[in-house]
Amino acid sequence: MSYHNYQVDLDRIIRRLEKTGEVPHLLLHACCAPCSSYCIEYLSQFFKITIFYYNPNIAPEEEYRHRVAEIKRFVAEFKTKHPVALIEGEYDPKRFYEVARGLEQEPEGGKRCRKCFELRLAESAKLAKELGADYFTTTLTISPMKDAQVLNEVVGEQCDIFGIKRLPSDFKKKGGYKRSIQLSAEYHLYRQNFCGCVYSMREAKEREAKNNESN
């Protein structure tokens, strides 16, 4: 897959919105409060946002509950130019384990992650269509561990299926990831050390054990 700078595309859309004064409705799939913090700060200047928290991959359930409580708290506390609402999707881990079946040993960032993206973003695009949102995207591109090329491709596929517009994104650009760390500290947000699923937790524990051995 050839590299494409999706931030340039987003900048072009934002310049047009600033020129016309239009404030479209954006459905923003959110993975967690820290990743969402900068995305909300940035995008709420130009869009009315509905955040959709749909992450059946997260385990165990108490981890899921912790993360969703944090994003609800951040949305309630953070002041924005345009309105931001939040919808929590159904927490049904069985759906994740169904798409991950046979891919349990894949490394993080591999085929299993792609299937996970497709699951979460298909459900999000479906809701975007139901709500009549003008654009759809995900906060996942802010993570240095996630491939923005793959994510924009998956978002684009789902937008084609449901007949909505993709908002191109690579939120780690323009210092986005660094700003998310600053906002997390300012709002005392819980920052997890693994993506969310049991397989990423396993890899995080293995990395931690190796680091401890080398120290």
Side-chain angles (χ1 to χ4, degrees):
M1 186 187 300
S2 59
Y3 175 79
H4 183 85
N5 190 333
Y6 291 98
Q7 181 63 47
V8 171
D9 297 342
L10 178 55
D11 286 340
R12 190 178 300 118
I13 291 170
I14 287 174
R15 284 196 300 271
R16 179 177 60 77
L17 296 178
E18 289 178 314
K19 186 175 180 179
T20 63
E22 181 187 357
V23 184
H25 179 196
L26 168 67
L27 191 289
L28 178 65
H29 166 263
C31 55
C32 65
C35 288
S36 301
S37 61
Y38 165 74
C39 300
I40 292 170
E41 179 184 60
Y42 177 37
L43 296 171
S44 64
Q45 300 173 72
F46 313 105
F47 298 89
K48 293 171 289 201
I49 300 174
T50 298
I51 295 168
F52 185 43
Y53 189 83
Y54 179 67
N55 301 290
N57 57 308
I58 297 174
E61 184 171 352
E62 70 176 308
E63 176 75 16
Y64 173 87
R65 299 298 171 199
H66 193 173
R67 294 192 194 193
V68 76
E70 283 293 87
I71 193 168
K72 286 178 178 178
R73 178 172 68 83
F74 180 77
V75 170
E77 293 179 6
F78 190 73
K79 305 302 180 188
T80 58
K81 180 177 180 180
H82 297 297
V84 177
L86 187 146
I87 296 173
E88 181 184 355
E90 182 184 9
Y91 180 59
D92 183 3
K94 292 191 301 293
R95 294 195 66 188
F96 168 70
Y97 291 116
E98 285 168 4
V99 302
R101 188 177 296 122
L103 300 171
E104 292 87 353
Q105 300 307 315
E106 280 281 312
E108 192 169 354
K111 293 178 182 178
R112 186 185 63 247
C113 288
R114 169 95 189 209
K115 288 292 185 181
C116 181
F117 298 156
E118 290 172 355
L119 169 65
R120 291 187 281 167
L121 298 179
E123 195 72 16
S124 302
K126 178 183 175 185
L127 180 62
K129 178 68 172 180
E130 291 171 357
L131 295 178
D134 300 294
Y135 288 96
F136 163 56
T137 195
T138 177
T139 64
L140 284 163
T141 63
I142 199 170
S143 170
M145 303 294 289
K146 302 289 187 293
D147 189 332
Q149 308 295 308
V150 171
L151 283 162
N152 277 276
E153 183 179 288
V154 175
V155 168
E157 290 168 356
Q158 299 307 321
C159 285
D160 289 344
I161 290 169
F162 290 98
I164 53 178
K165 288 183 188 175
R166 176 186 72 183
L167 189 71
S169 72
D170 191 353
F171 294 122
K172 67 181 73 65
K173 300 282 189 182
K174 300 177 76 170
Y177 180 67
K178 181 179 179 182
R179 178 59 179 155
S180 75
I181 294 173
Q182 293 170 342
L183 285 166
S184 295
E186 184 178 340
Y187 284 83
H188 307 289
L189 297 176
Y190 164 62
R191 290 184 65 86
Q192 60 281 351
N193 67 347
F194 67 105
C195 175
C197 72
V198 292
Y199 312 112
S200 62
M201 183 192 297
R202 178 187 65 200
E203 287 196 23
K205 288 180 178 177
E206 289 171 355
R207 284 194 300 270
E208 185 177 351
K210 286 181 182 177
N211 289 337
N212 290 338
E213 288 173 5
S214 60
N215 291 336

